[in-house]
Amino acid sequence: MFVKLNDRVYLNADRITRIKIDEVQDGIRVRFYEGQNQVAKSHKFENVEKASAWVEKTMNQK
């Protein structure tokens, strides 16, 4: 199943093995992995709660 991450990126959710919410220098990013390889990352968020809510909303798309 493909989910839309943004205007240009669709992610094959069936192949994602790990999702990590990571703090970077100027905000929070969500990173998507297939095994050991990072395959996509999100835009920046202000806090972990907003990032977590975005992951829930995005990964539950039909």
Side-chain angles (χ1 to χ4, degrees), residues 9 11 22 24-25 56 58 62:
V9 177
L11 184 65
D22 210 10
V24 293
Q25 292 176 346
E56 291 292 325
T58 301
K62 300 272 185 209

Side-chain angles (χ1 to χ4, degrees), residues 1-13 54 57-59 61-62:
M1 173 174 78
F2 287 90
V3 293
K4 184 176 182 178
L5 291 184
N6 60 38
D7 294 339
R8 300 179 295 164
V9 177
Y10 288 82
L11 184 65
N12 185 350
W54 180 83
K57 178 183 156 210
T58 301
M59 297 308 288
Q61 294 177 9
K62 300 272 185 209

Side-chain angles (χ1 to χ4, degrees), residues 16-24 28-33 38 40-43 45 48 51-52 54-55:
I16 297 301
T17 58
R18 179 170 53 128
I19 298 172
K20 183 178 178 185
I21 299 175
D22 210 10
E23 187 170 348
V24 293
I28 306 291
R29 282 196 188 264
V30 178
R31 299 175 189 276
F32 298 89
Y33 293 86
Q38 179 180 319
K41 63 183 173 182
S42 70
H43 59 282
F45 295 94
V48 173
S52 182
W54 180 83
V55 168

